[in-house]
Amino acid sequence: MVNNTADIMKHVLILVFLLQACGPAGDDRPDTIDFDVEANYTKKEVQIPMRDGVHLFATIYTPRDTTQHYPFLIRRSPYGSGPYEPGEYLNHVGPNGTPRFAEEGYIFVYQDVRGRFMSEGTFTNMTPNHPGNRPDTPPDESSDMHDTAEWLLENVHPNNGKIGLWGISYPGFYAAASVIDTHPAVKASSPQAPIGDWFIGDDFHHNGAFFLQDAFRFFYRFDHIEPTPTQARREPAFDFGTDSAYEFFQALGPIKNANERYFHNQVPSWDSLMTHGTYNAYWQARNIVPHMENVTSSMLTVAGLFDAEDPYGPIAIYQSTEARNPGIDNKLILGPWYHGGWVRADGDSLGAVGFGQKTSLYYQENIDLAWFNQQLKGKGNAGLPEVMAYGSGTDAWREFDAWPPPDATPVSFWFGPEGSLKTEVPVEVEGKDSWVSNPANPVPYTGERSIARSREYMVEDQRFLQGREDVLTFASKEMTMPSTFAGPVDVELFVSTTGTDADFVVKVIDEYPDGFQMLVRAEVFRGKFRNSMSAPEPFIPGQVARVSFSTPHILHTFKPGHRMLVQVQSSWFPLVDMNPQTFTDIYTADESAFQSATHSLHRAAGQASRITLHRIPE
């Protein structure tokens, strides 16, 4: 059940620079690899013209062996495509950090997107799509990909006329956005942990709740580059002056203090977050999910089921692509990974939870190269099902014809008296559980003292919260047979409060026979958005209101002897900013807006709170 924690931490520290220094949407390239790129590839730096006169920088690695024709593999990124010096080479080229792609032979292209590093133009976060890719529409990622493809096909040889795309996190967004109205030469794209929507469920907001710790750390560095074109790297990480994020953000107080004390309106992306506090036109335009139209390339979307950064985008993009482009080859890989874990670690564990095998090595050896070879070289057959997913609890790969699995059966677990969790519909005429949420003492999201956001919190033992009176815990009976659940967890709460706003965090936990409490899934919802993400509404003190939402997806088996726990709380700090519990614009609120409030979870018939999971056959 639990691997040796010391050994796991040693393994984690090997990758600490790669994973923590880059922030919520970091780079996906390891520092070293046992392959001589320079001996096998030539490097060329180019400026590729776009239709509006802007030039985008790209570094191109072409095999020295010119006796055959090669497909392109392109990574488009806002993180830089260096090293920019002509005589300096990347330590590795290709998607997964191994020599496999380089040994196989591709033309690798690394491109800086508009307004970043060596590319001209103006950078726009999560570039809005302009449907149709017509000459009279503003440039977007689709049009920039079209123009890039045309130039590469004509000017870089020997190519075979086929193009593939890949990228993790923010580059994953570009891999998805670039295939809208697909260029005919683009035959394959693999968005991996792609950002889908920065307000609904990725990186910096979940259901309107602001992910303070990630946004603060990431945008301070991301926005600190010189005006383009430039080779300048990002600023060093922000100096917090403490090793405790909890203490730092408690001392920060209201969010507006970030600008007043530290950023001084010199971080444009942070300012955008502060001035767009609802799901308005700004955020709606940056939601890539509904724009996955006219996709003709094959798609392989990769996601980590324990991704703390982009748990929403991958599945939403896969589902949107599937619905809007019937008949294309569209596949989904779900592993037990943290953000980018399929190329950054062996994938045999996360924190204290072991997965029984090296799932990342399986992916690298059996999936990604085989799939790209099939699509771009006509070589072999990867033999992938529509959906391939690795389940925690059973520690095994499973294949599905669709996601969520069509044979899944909904099972509701109702909150009962005395902390019980029942599958029977409540018949009680009254019943509620209450707790006091105090902004001066918010519930921590992790038991670890750290300044960097822990990725292990996604499976962390929740016993660190025992004894807190502002966390409700409900427990099922011990499982008598294996129960496997797949897809989202649907949450329906009936709540009341003495305040006018509140957050609600719901956690699903697997309690092992020895007491270990593995977090399986957790999600937050900002209560004022319960009826509309665009038009928030205050709670009426004392009046019962319905709050419903769905969590990111799971594939998990509760084994015999285990219990399901569900916890409900109203803060998750400093992962999520503290709700002042008064109806206000949180981004401009001062200290006087913050107040303690008593929240109640109702569980009587007609106002019965529950979660619904989706059971699949064993």
Side-chain angles (χ1 to χ4, degrees):
M1 182 274 294
V2 181
N3 290 335
N4 184 281
T5 303
D7 290 342
I8 294 170
M9 291 308 299
K10 290 177 183 177
H11 181 73
V12 168
L13 289 172
I14 295 172
L15 298 173
V16 70
F17 172 79
L18 292 170
L19 299 165
Q20 295 183 350
C22 293
D27 207 322
D28 64 328
R29 290 174 292 174
D31 278 346
T32 59
I33 195 69
D34 186 19
F35 181 81
D36 192 341
V37 174
E38 186 173 1
N40 292 278
Y41 284 82
T42 62
K43 174 188 171 184
K44 184 178 182 180
E45 297 178 344
V46 300
Q47 291 283 355
I48 301 176
M50 300 294 106
R51 63 191 64 181
D52 62 347
V54 167
H55 289 74
L56 301 189
F57 176 88
T59 301
I60 303 172
Y61 292 83
T62 305
R64 293 185 182 275
D65 177 7
T66 59
T67 61
Q68 55 182 303
H69 292 75
Y70 302 94
F72 293 98
L73 268 179
I74 303 175
R75 177 184 181 269
R76 308 185 64 236
S77 173
Y79 298 127
S81 299
Y84 293 102
E85 293 74 14
E88 294 188 18
Y89 282 63
L90 285 171
N91 292 319
H92 99 281
V93 288
N96 67 20
T98 74
R100 294 186 181 92
F101 278 88
E103 291 172 344
E104 174 64 33
Y106 282 85
I107 302 171
F108 300 100
V109 180
Y110 294 87
Q111 185 177 60
D112 292 341
V113 297
R114 283 178 178 254
R116 296 294 290 182
F117 291 89
M118 290 298 291
S119 283
E120 299 171 351
T122 300
F123 175 72
T124 301
N125 269 315
M126 297 289 289
T127 317
N129 176 260
H130 302 284
N133 193 19
R134 301 187 308 273
D136 61 334
T137 58
D140 58 15
E141 301 311 328
S142 174
S143 66
D144 283 355
M145 184 66 247
H146 270 252
D147 297 345
T148 297
E150 289 292 314
W151 191 92
L152 291 173
L153 292 168
E154 182 177 349
N155 292 280
V156 180
H157 302 284
N159 74 74
N160 72 353
K162 296 182 179 181
I163 295 173
L165 311 175
W166 97 95
I168 296 176
S169 195
Y170 217 149
F173 160 79
Y174 292 104
S178 295
V179 296
I180 298 170
D181 299 307
T182 314
H183 186 282
V186 177
K187 303 299 183 183
S189 181
S190 182
Q192 302 178 15
I195 306 166
D197 190 317
W198 263 353
F199 196 84
I200 299 300
D202 288 319
D203 286 315
F204 309 121
H205 298 88
H206 288 209
N207 300 312
F210 181 48
F211 270 48
L212 170 63
Q213 187 176 4
D214 278 0
F216 190 101
R217 294 182 68 249
F218 177 72
F219 281 122
Y220 174 78
R221 298 190 67 198
F222 186 72
D223 276 9
H224 277 80
I225 63 170
E226 298 297 322
T228 57
T230 180
Q231 298 180 15
R233 301 298 295 175
R234 288 173 285 176
E235 290 289 318
F238 181 85
D239 182 7
F240 287 88
T242 176
D243 64 352
S244 170
Y246 190 95
E247 293 176 3
F248 175 85
F249 286 107
Q250 267 197 313
L252 176 67
I255 296 175
K256 72 172 188 176
N257 291 344
N259 255 327
E260 294 176 2
R261 298 181 187 177
Y262 304 114
F263 294 167
H264 309 297
N265 296 109
Q266 299 300 306
V267 184
S269 297
W270 179 267
D271 290 347
S272 294
L273 293 171
M274 298 300 100
T275 54
H276 298 286
T278 67
Y279 197 49
N280 57 18
Y282 177 88
W283 293 117
Q284 293 172 28
R286 284 159 174 75
N287 175 8
I288 197 64
V289 174
H291 294 283
M292 299 304 298
E293 302 271 6
N294 301 318
V295 177
T296 59
S297 73
S298 295
M299 298 283 284
L300 180 69
T301 303
V302 183
L305 287 166
F306 299 111
D307 188 337
E309 297 169 30
D310 295 307
Y312 172 82
I315 292 174
I317 287 171
Y318 160 78
Q319 291 175 330
S320 177
T321 304
E322 186 78 0
R324 290 172 166 81
N325 305 276
I328 73 163
D329 180 21
N330 183 37
K331 301 189 184 303
L332 177 65
I333 307 295
L334 301 171
W337 301 309
Y338 61 81
H339 192 65
W342 47 97
V343 300
R344 294 169 172 161
D346 288 345
D348 57 351
S349 64
L350 179 59
V353 177
F355 299 127
Q357 59 178 279
K358 296 181 177 181
T359 60
S360 300
L361 295 185
Y362 180 89
Y363 166 82
Q364 295 168 20
E365 294 172 356
N366 297 281
I367 296 177
D368 60 348
L369 178 58
W371 184 80
F372 274 116
N373 278 346
Q374 177 185 348
Q375 305 300 329
L376 299 178
K377 292 189 170 188
K379 181 178 179 180
N381 186 337
L384 297 179
E386 174 79 6
V387 179
M388 191 168 182
Y390 194 88
S392 52
T394 53
D395 298 330
W397 288 102
R398 299 183 65 154
E399 298 182 359
F400 302 96
D401 295 331
W403 190 266
D407 58 352
T409 303
V411 180
S412 290
F413 292 85
W414 306 82
F415 301 114
E418 299 179 350
S420 60
L421 191 64
K422 306 185 298 182
T423 55
E424 300 82 20
V425 179
V427 296
E428 294 88 355
V429 296
E430 61 180 24
K432 66 179 181 180
D433 295 287
S434 301
W435 69 101
V436 176
S437 177
N438 181 1
N441 184 29
V443 180
Y445 81 97
T446 177
E448 299 297 324
R449 182 185 177 96
S450 64
I451 199 65
R453 192 260 302 126
S454 162
R455 63 170 181 259
E456 291 81 14
Y457 90 86
M458 295 291 289
V459 296
E460 186 173 357
D461 186 348
Q462 296 300 293
R463 286 179 291 183
F464 73 91
L465 292 175
Q466 286 181 350
R468 287 198 66 116
E469 296 182 353
D470 51 359
V471 178
L472 302 183
T473 300
F474 300 87
S476 73
K477 297 178 180 179
E478 287 188 2
M479 301 287 179
T480 58
M481 61 183 63
S483 293
T484 300
F485 299 99
V489 178
D490 300 322
V491 176
E492 183 180 38
L493 306 180
F494 289 90
V495 297
S496 59
T497 177
T498 59
T500 51
D501 193 12
D503 287 351
F504 296 97
V505 179
V506 175
K507 301 176 182 176
V508 178
I509 299 164
D510 185 345
E511 184 181 58
Y512 287 60
D514 66 359
F516 177 77
Q517 295 178 0
M518 172 190 171
L519 182 62
V520 174
R521 184 61 73 243
E523 187 58 298
V524 60
F525 192 95
R526 184 139 287 170
K528 66 182 179 181
F529 295 115
R530 64 195 179 280
N531 295 320
S532 170
M533 287 288 172
S534 303
E537 301 174 32
F539 287 95
I540 299 174
Q543 182 172 305
V544 178
R546 178 178 178 269
V547 174
S548 64
F549 59 95
S550 295
T551 75
H553 293 220
I554 66 173
L555 178 58
H556 183 78
T557 299
F558 292 85
K559 295 180 179 179
H562 292 224
R563 295 194 303 169
M564 179 188 298
L565 306 184
V566 178
Q567 290 183 339
V568 181
Q569 59 199 56
S570 285
S571 50
W572 209 17
F573 191 79
L575 185 69
V576 176
D577 69 316
M578 185 64 210
N579 192 317
Q581 304 182 139
T582 58
F583 183 73
T584 186
D585 176 21
I586 297 176
Y587 305 102
T588 59
D590 58 24
E591 286 85 351
S592 63
F594 289 76
Q595 66 174 23
S596 290
T598 299
H599 308 311
S600 297
L601 180 72
H602 295 260
R603 46 181 173 75
Q607 294 181 337
S609 300
R610 61 175 170 169
I611 65 167
T612 300
L613 292 84
H614 305 271
R615 179 182 285 143
I616 60 175
E618 297 301 319

Short mmCIF file of all heavy atoms in Angstrom, two decimals, residues 114-158:
data_model
loop_
_atom_site.label_atom_id
_atom_site.label_comp_id
_atom_site.label_asym_id
_atom_site.label_seq_id
_atom_site.Cartn_x
_atom_site.Cartn_y
_atom_site.Cartn_z
N ARG A 114 3.98 33.84 -30.76
CA ARG A 114 3.98 35.30 -30.92
C ARG A 114 4.29 36.03 -29.61
O ARG A 114 3.71 35.74 -28.56
CB ARG A 114 2.61 35.78 -31.40
CG ARG A 114 2.34 35.55 -32.85
CD ARG A 114 0.95 36.02 -33.24
NE ARG A 114 0.77 35.81 -34.68
CZ ARG A 114 0.78 36.79 -35.58
NH1 ARG A 114 0.89 38.04 -35.20
NH2 ARG A 114 0.64 36.50 -36.87
N GLY A 115 5.23 36.97 -29.74
CA GLY A 115 5.52 37.85 -28.62
C GLY A 115 6.32 37.23 -27.50
O GLY A 115 6.46 37.84 -26.43
N ARG A 116 6.89 36.05 -27.73
CA ARG A 116 7.68 35.40 -26.69
C ARG A 116 9.09 35.15 -27.21
O ARG A 116 9.29 34.65 -28.33
CB ARG A 116 7.05 34.08 -26.26
CG ARG A 116 5.69 34.24 -25.59
CD ARG A 116 5.77 34.95 -24.25
NE ARG A 116 6.41 34.14 -23.23
CZ ARG A 116 6.55 34.52 -21.96
NH1 ARG A 116 6.14 35.71 -21.58
NH2 ARG A 116 7.13 33.72 -21.09
N PHE A 117 10.08 35.54 -26.42
CA PHE A 117 11.49 35.31 -26.69
C PHE A 117 11.89 35.85 -28.06
O PHE A 117 11.82 37.05 -28.29
CB PHE A 117 11.84 33.84 -26.48
CG PHE A 117 11.77 33.45 -25.03
CD1 PHE A 117 10.59 33.00 -24.46
CD2 PHE A 117 12.88 33.57 -24.20
CE1 PHE A 117 10.51 32.69 -23.11
CE2 PHE A 117 12.82 33.26 -22.84
CZ PHE A 117 11.64 32.82 -22.30
N MET A 118 12.23 35.02 -29.02
CA MET A 118 12.78 35.50 -30.29
C MET A 118 11.73 35.72 -31.37
O MET A 118 12.07 36.04 -32.51
CB MET A 118 13.85 34.53 -30.79
CG MET A 118 15.11 34.54 -29.94
SD MET A 118 15.95 36.14 -29.94
CE MET A 118 16.52 36.21 -31.64
N SER A 119 10.47 35.55 -31.05
CA SER A 119 9.41 35.78 -32.04
C SER A 119 8.86 37.21 -31.92
O SER A 119 8.75 37.76 -30.82
CB SER A 119 8.26 34.79 -31.87
OG SER A 119 8.60 33.53 -32.39
N GLU A 120 8.51 37.77 -33.06
CA GLU A 120 7.91 39.09 -33.09
C GLU A 120 6.43 39.01 -32.72
O GLU A 120 5.88 37.92 -32.52
CB GLU A 120 8.06 39.69 -34.49
CG GLU A 120 9.50 39.86 -34.95
CD GLU A 120 9.61 40.25 -36.41
OE1 GLU A 120 8.56 40.23 -37.12
OE2 GLU A 120 10.73 40.56 -36.86
N GLY A 121 5.79 40.19 -32.67
CA GLY A 121 4.36 40.22 -32.44
C GLY A 121 4.01 40.43 -30.98
O GLY A 121 4.88 40.66 -30.13
N THR A 122 2.73 40.35 -30.70
CA THR A 122 2.20 40.58 -29.36
C THR A 122 1.72 39.26 -28.76
O THR A 122 0.94 38.54 -29.38
CB THR A 122 1.03 41.57 -29.40
OG1 THR A 122 1.48 42.81 -29.96
CG2 THR A 122 0.46 41.81 -28.01
N PHE A 123 2.20 38.96 -27.57
CA PHE A 123 1.78 37.72 -26.91
C PHE A 123 0.41 37.91 -26.27
O PHE A 123 0.12 38.93 -25.66
CB PHE A 123 2.79 37.32 -25.84
CG PHE A 123 2.38 36.11 -25.06
CD1 PHE A 123 2.39 34.85 -25.63
CD2 PHE A 123 1.94 36.24 -23.74
CE1 PHE A 123 2.00 33.73 -24.91
CE2 PHE A 123 1.54 35.13 -23.02
CZ PHE A 123 1.57 33.87 -23.60
N THR A 124 -0.43 36.89 -26.41
CA THR A 124 -1.74 36.87 -25.78
C THR A 124 -1.89 35.55 -25.04
O THR A 124 -1.73 34.48 -25.64
CB THR A 124 -2.87 36.99 -26.83
OG1 THR A 124 -2.70 38.22 -27.55
CG2 THR A 124 -4.23 36.98 -26.16
N ASN A 125 -2.18 35.61 -23.75
CA ASN A 125 -2.42 34.37 -23.00
C ASN A 125 -3.62 33.64 -23.55
O ASN A 125 -4.68 34.23 -23.78
CB ASN A 125 -2.65 34.70 -21.52
CG ASN A 125 -1.37 34.68 -20.71
OD1 ASN A 125 -0.56 33.77 -20.85
ND2 ASN A 125 -1.17 35.68 -19.87
N MET A 126 -3.47 32.34 -23.76
CA MET A 126 -4.56 31.49 -24.23
C MET A 126 -5.25 32.13 -25.44
O MET A 126 -6.43 32.47 -25.42
CB MET A 126 -5.56 31.23 -23.11
CG MET A 126 -5.00 30.49 -21.93
SD MET A 126 -4.64 28.76 -22.28
CE MET A 126 -6.30 28.10 -22.40
N THR A 127 -4.51 32.27 -26.51
CA THR A 127 -4.95 32.99 -27.70
C THR A 127 -6.38 32.63 -28.11
O THR A 127 -6.67 31.47 -28.38
CB THR A 127 -4.03 32.67 -28.89
OG1 THR A 127 -2.67 32.70 -28.45
CG2 THR A 127 -4.25 33.67 -30.02
N PRO A 128 -7.29 33.60 -28.19
CA PRO A 128 -8.64 33.30 -28.69
C PRO A 128 -8.61 32.80 -30.12
O PRO A 128 -7.81 33.28 -30.94
CB PRO A 128 -9.36 34.64 -28.58
CG PRO A 128 -8.62 35.38 -27.50
CD PRO A 128 -7.19 34.97 -27.66
N ASN A 129 -9.47 31.85 -30.41
CA ASN A 129 -9.57 31.33 -31.78
C ASN A 129 -10.57 32.14 -32.59
O ASN A 129 -11.60 32.58 -32.07
CB ASN A 129 -10.01 29.87 -31.75
CG ASN A 129 -10.24 29.31 -33.14
OD1 ASN A 129 -11.37 29.20 -33.61
ND2 ASN A 129 -9.16 28.96 -33.81
N HIS A 130 -10.24 32.33 -33.87
CA HIS A 130 -11.13 33.01 -34.80
C HIS A 130 -11.51 32.01 -35.89
O HIS A 130 -10.71 31.72 -36.78
CB HIS A 130 -10.45 34.24 -35.40
CG HIS A 130 -10.01 35.23 -34.36
ND1 HIS A 130 -10.88 36.06 -33.70
CD2 HIS A 130 -8.77 35.48 -33.83
CE1 HIS A 130 -10.22 36.81 -32.83
NE2 HIS A 130 -8.93 36.47 -32.88
N PRO A 131 -12.70 31.46 -35.81
CA PRO A 131 -13.08 30.33 -36.68
C PRO A 131 -12.92 30.64 -38.16
O PRO A 131 -13.12 31.77 -38.61
CB PRO A 131 -14.56 30.09 -36.33
CG PRO A 131 -14.71 30.64 -34.95
CD PRO A 131 -13.79 31.83 -34.89
N GLY A 132 -12.55 29.62 -38.89
CA GLY A 132 -12.50 29.70 -40.34
C GLY A 132 -11.13 29.88 -40.93
O GLY A 132 -10.90 29.54 -42.09
N ASN A 133 -10.19 30.42 -40.13
CA ASN A 133 -8.82 30.60 -40.63
C ASN A 133 -8.81 31.30 -41.98
O ASN A 133 -8.18 30.86 -42.94
CB ASN A 133 -8.12 29.24 -40.71
CG ASN A 133 -6.62 29.38 -40.92
OD1 ASN A 133 -6.04 30.43 -40.67
ND2 ASN A 133 -6.00 28.31 -41.38
N ARG A 134 -9.52 32.42 -42.06
CA ARG A 134 -9.63 33.16 -43.32
C ARG A 134 -8.64 34.34 -43.32
O ARG A 134 -8.21 34.82 -42.27
CB ARG A 134 -11.04 33.69 -43.50
CG ARG A 134 -12.13 32.63 -43.51
CD ARG A 134 -13.48 33.25 -43.86
NE ARG A 134 -13.80 34.40 -43.03
CZ ARG A 134 -14.42 34.32 -41.85
NH1 ARG A 134 -14.78 33.12 -41.38
NH2 ARG A 134 -14.69 35.40 -41.14
N PRO A 135 -8.31 34.84 -44.52
CA PRO A 135 -7.39 35.99 -44.60
C PRO A 135 -7.91 37.23 -43.87
O PRO A 135 -7.12 38.07 -43.45
CB PRO A 135 -7.28 36.24 -46.10
CG PRO A 135 -7.62 34.93 -46.74
CD PRO A 135 -8.65 34.31 -45.84
N ASP A 136 -9.24 37.35 -43.72
CA ASP A 136 -9.80 38.56 -43.12
C ASP A 136 -10.00 38.43 -41.60
O ASP A 136 -10.48 39.36 -40.96
CB ASP A 136 -11.14 38.91 -43.77
CG ASP A 136 -12.19 37.80 -43.61
OD1 ASP A 136 -11.79 36.63 -43.45
OD2 ASP A 136 -13.39 38.12 -43.65
N THR A 137 -9.63 37.29 -41.01
CA THR A 137 -9.75 37.13 -39.56
C THR A 137 -8.41 37.43 -38.89
O THR A 137 -7.35 37.25 -39.50
CB THR A 137 -10.20 35.72 -39.19
OG1 THR A 137 -9.27 34.77 -39.73
CG2 THR A 137 -11.59 35.43 -39.74
N PRO A 138 -8.43 37.87 -37.64
CA PRO A 138 -7.16 38.13 -36.94
C PRO A 138 -6.34 36.86 -36.81
O PRO A 138 -6.88 35.75 -36.80
CB PRO A 138 -7.63 38.63 -35.56
CG PRO A 138 -9.03 39.11 -35.78
CD PRO A 138 -9.60 38.22 -36.83
N PRO A 139 -5.03 36.99 -36.72
CA PRO A 139 -4.20 35.80 -36.56
C PRO A 139 -4.49 35.09 -35.24
O PRO A 139 -4.82 35.72 -34.24
CB PRO A 139 -2.77 36.35 -36.60
CG PRO A 139 -2.90 37.79 -36.22
CD PRO A 139 -4.24 38.23 -36.74
N ASP A 140 -4.40 33.78 -35.27
CA ASP A 140 -4.53 32.97 -34.06
C ASP A 140 -3.59 31.79 -34.20
O ASP A 140 -2.75 31.76 -35.12
CB ASP A 140 -5.99 32.55 -33.84
CG ASP A 140 -6.57 31.76 -35.00
OD1 ASP A 140 -5.80 31.27 -35.87
OD2 ASP A 140 -7.81 31.61 -35.07
N GLU A 141 -3.69 30.82 -33.30
CA GLU A 141 -2.75 29.70 -33.36
C GLU A 141 -2.97 28.83 -34.59
O GLU A 141 -2.03 28.24 -35.13
CB GLU A 141 -2.83 28.88 -32.08
CG GLU A 141 -2.53 29.68 -30.81
CD GLU A 141 -1.26 30.50 -30.89
OE1 GLU A 141 -0.30 30.08 -31.58
OE2 GLU A 141 -1.22 31.58 -30.28
N SER A 142 -4.21 28.73 -35.04
CA SER A 142 -4.49 27.96 -36.25
C SER A 142 -3.84 28.60 -37.47
O SER A 142 -3.19 27.93 -38.28
CB SER A 142 -6.00 27.83 -36.45
OG SER A 142 -6.30 27.20 -37.68
N SER A 143 -4.00 29.91 -37.62
CA SER A 143 -3.42 30.58 -38.79
C SER A 143 -1.89 30.58 -38.72
O SER A 143 -1.22 30.40 -39.74
CB SER A 143 -3.95 32.01 -38.92
OG SER A 143 -3.51 32.82 -37.86
N ASP A 144 -1.33 30.78 -37.52
CA ASP A 144 0.13 30.73 -37.40
C ASP A 144 0.66 29.34 -37.73
O ASP A 144 1.75 29.19 -38.30
CB ASP A 144 0.55 31.13 -35.99
CG ASP A 144 0.50 32.64 -35.77
OD1 ASP A 144 0.21 33.38 -36.75
OD2 ASP A 144 0.71 33.09 -34.63
N MET A 145 -0.10 28.29 -37.37
CA MET A 145 0.33 26.94 -37.71
C MET A 145 0.25 26.73 -39.23
O MET A 145 1.15 26.12 -39.82
CB MET A 145 -0.56 25.92 -36.99
CG MET A 145 -0.13 24.45 -37.21
SD MET A 145 1.48 24.09 -36.47
CE MET A 145 2.46 23.79 -37.94
N HIS A 146 -0.81 27.23 -39.86
CA HIS A 146 -0.92 27.13 -41.32
C HIS A 146 0.29 27.76 -42.00
O HIS A 146 0.91 27.16 -42.89
CB HIS A 146 -2.20 27.82 -41.80
CG HIS A 146 -3.39 26.92 -41.85
ND1 HIS A 146 -3.95 26.48 -43.04
CD2 HIS A 146 -4.12 26.36 -40.87
CE1 HIS A 146 -4.98 25.70 -42.77
NE2 HIS A 146 -5.11 25.61 -41.46
N ASP A 147 0.64 28.98 -41.58
CA ASP A 147 1.74 29.69 -42.23
C ASP A 147 3.07 29.02 -41.95
O ASP A 147 3.96 28.95 -42.82
CB ASP A 147 1.75 31.14 -41.78
CG ASP A 147 0.49 31.89 -42.18
OD1 ASP A 147 -0.26 31.38 -43.04
OD2 ASP A 147 0.24 32.99 -41.63
N THR A 148 3.22 28.51 -40.74
CA THR A 148 4.44 27.77 -40.39
C THR A 148 4.57 26.51 -41.24
O THR A 148 5.64 26.20 -41.77
CB THR A 148 4.44 27.41 -38.90
OG1 THR A 148 4.44 28.60 -38.12
CG2 THR A 148 5.65 26.57 -38.53
N ALA A 149 3.47 25.79 -41.37
CA ALA A 149 3.49 24.55 -42.16
C ALA A 149 3.86 24.82 -43.61
O ALA A 149 4.68 24.10 -44.20
CB ALA A 149 2.13 23.86 -42.08
N GLU A 150 3.28 25.84 -44.19
CA GLU A 150 3.57 26.16 -45.60
C GLU A 150 5.05 26.45 -45.78
O GLU A 150 5.68 25.98 -46.74
CB GLU A 150 2.74 27.37 -46.04
CG GLU A 150 1.25 27.09 -46.18
CD GLU A 150 0.95 26.15 -47.34
OE1 GLU A 150 1.50 26.36 -48.44
OE2 GLU A 150 0.18 25.19 -47.13
N TRP A 151 5.62 27.24 -44.87
CA TRP A 151 7.04 27.60 -45.00
C TRP A 151 7.94 26.39 -44.81
O TRP A 151 8.90 26.19 -45.56
CB TRP A 151 7.38 28.68 -43.96
CG TRP A 151 8.73 29.30 -44.18
CD1 TRP A 151 9.02 30.42 -44.91
CD2 TRP A 151 9.97 28.81 -43.67
NE1 TRP A 151 10.37 30.66 -44.89
CE2 TRP A 151 10.98 29.69 -44.13
CE3 TRP A 151 10.34 27.74 -42.88
CZ2 TRP A 151 12.33 29.52 -43.82
CZ3 TRP A 151 11.69 27.55 -42.58
CH2 TRP A 151 12.66 28.43 -43.04
N LEU A 152 7.66 25.57 -43.81
CA LEU A 152 8.49 24.39 -43.57
C LEU A 152 8.47 23.42 -44.74
O LEU A 152 9.51 22.90 -45.15
CB LEU A 152 8.02 23.68 -42.29
CG LEU A 152 8.26 24.40 -40.97
CD1 LEU A 152 7.58 23.65 -39.83
CD2 LEU A 152 9.75 24.57 -40.68
N LEU A 153 7.29 23.16 -45.27
CA LEU A 153 7.18 22.21 -46.38
C LEU A 153 7.97 22.67 -47.59
O LEU A 153 8.55 21.84 -48.32
CB LEU A 153 5.71 22.02 -46.75
CG LEU A 153 4.84 21.31 -45.69
CD1 LEU A 153 3.37 21.46 -46.04
CD2 LEU A 153 5.23 19.83 -45.57
N GLU A 154 8.03 23.97 -47.79
CA GLU A 154 8.72 24.50 -48.97
C GLU A 154 10.21 24.67 -48.75
O GLU A 154 11.00 24.54 -49.69
CB GLU A 154 8.11 25.85 -49.35
CG GLU A 154 8.73 26.48 -50.60
CD GLU A 154 8.06 27.77 -51.00
OE1 GLU A 154 6.99 28.09 -50.44
OE2 GLU A 154 8.62 28.48 -51.87
N ASN A 155 10.64 24.90 -47.51
CA ASN A 155 12.01 25.33 -47.29
C ASN A 155 12.89 24.35 -46.52
O ASN A 155 14.11 24.54 -46.47
CB ASN A 155 12.01 26.66 -46.53
CG ASN A 155 11.48 27.81 -47.35
OD1 ASN A 155 12.19 28.38 -48.18
ND2 ASN A 155 10.21 28.14 -47.15
N VAL A 156 12.33 23.33 -45.89
CA VAL A 156 13.13 22.41 -45.09
C VAL A 156 13.03 21.02 -45.69
O VAL A 156 11.94 20.44 -45.80
CB VAL A 156 12.66 22.39 -43.62
CG1 VAL A 156 13.50 21.42 -42.81
CG2 VAL A 156 12.73 23.79 -43.02
N HIS A 157 14.17 20.46 -46.06
CA HIS A 157 14.20 19.17 -46.74
C HIS A 157 15.30 18.30 -46.12
O HIS A 157 16.22 18.82 -45.47
CB HIS A 157 14.45 19.39 -48.24
CG HIS A 157 13.42 20.26 -48.90
ND1 HIS A 157 12.16 19.82 -49.22
CD2 HIS A 157 13.47 21.59 -49.26
CE1 HIS A 157 11.47 20.80 -49.78
NE2 HIS A 157 12.25 21.89 -49.81
N PRO A 158 15.19 16.99 -46.29
CA PRO A 158 14.17 16.24 -47.04
C PRO A 158 12.97 15.89 -46.15
O PRO A 158 13.11 15.12 -45.19
CB PRO A 158 14.92 14.98 -47.46
CG PRO A 158 15.94 14.76 -46.36
CD PRO A 158 16.30 16.12 -45.84
#
